Amino acid sequence: DELSVIAQPMEILDKTIPMLTEDVMEKCVFSTNKITGNISLDKSKLLCFSLPYSKGWSVLVDGEKAELLQTNIMFSGVMLPEGEHSIELNYCTPYIREGLVLSVLGLLCYIGVNVIWKKRKVEK
C-alpha cells in the first residue's frame, strides 16, 4: 500500500560527475586497519568515504582527532575546512579490548577453580 519509487534524472549526470570529482583524496595508502591520504580544498567541504559507517573507525585530520560522521545513510565522512589536510582513518574492532579483559579474567577463574579442585582432591 505504501510503495514509492524514487528516480534520479539521468540528464544531470554529465554535470554532477565533474563536480563530485573536483576534490579527491590523493596519495592514498591502504593497510590492514589504516587508510591515509592528502586532500587540498579551496573551501570547507564534507569528505565522504565509501566505507560503511562503524563505531570502530576513527579519523585524524592533520594529526588531531576529528568527528567521523555518518553520511549518505550508511557511509563515513568528515567535515574539513579550507586548505591542505592529511587524513588518517584507523579501525579497531569495537569492544575488542573489553573482550580481551573478560577472556583473561575467565581464564584466571578457570585456572583458580582447577587449582582449588586439585588441592581438595589431594587432601581427601
Side-chain angles (χ1 to χ4, degrees):
D1 291 344
E2 296 285 329
L3 181 66
S4 63
V5 177
I6 300 172
Q8 182 69 35
M10 299 306 287
E11 300 84 41
I12 64 169
L13 197 60
D14 291 337
K15 295 176 186 171
T16 56
I17 289 177
M19 188 174 69
L20 292 172
T21 58
E22 283 177 359
D23 300 309
V24 295
M25 202 161 85
E26 299 174 335
K27 298 180 183 175
C28 296
V29 178
F30 298 87
S31 60
T32 306
N33 293 325
K34 187 177 187 179
I35 301 170
T36 59
N38 299 319
I39 190 166
S40 179
L41 301 174
D42 56 350
K43 63 181 178 178
S44 179
K45 291 186 178 182
L46 172 70
L47 176 60
C48 185
F49 305 102
S50 57
L51 295 168
Y53 179 80
S54 168
K55 293 186 181 197
W57 284 106
S58 62
V59 63
L60 297 173
V61 176
D62 301 327
E64 295 183 21
K65 189 166 178 67
E67 180 183 5
L68 190 67
L69 305 169
Q70 186 172 355
T71 61
N72 296 338
I73 299 173
M74 64 173 278
F75 294 115
S76 301
V78 65
M79 283 302 297
L80 297 173
E82 175 184 342
E84 301 266 336
H85 303 287
S86 65
I87 310 296
E88 181 178 318
L89 287 155
N90 295 295
Y91 185 78
C92 179
T93 304
Y95 304 109
I96 197 163
R97 291 180 185 100
E98 293 85 349
L100 179 62
V101 168
L102 290 175
S103 296
V104 168
L105 287 174
L107 182 62
L108 291 174
C109 288
Y110 173 75
I111 292 170
V113 167
N114 274 335
V115 167
I116 292 170
W117 183 265
K118 285 182 181 182
K119 280 187 179 182
R120 285 188 179 173
K121 206 173 187 183
V122 170
E123 289 174 2
K124 288 182 180 181

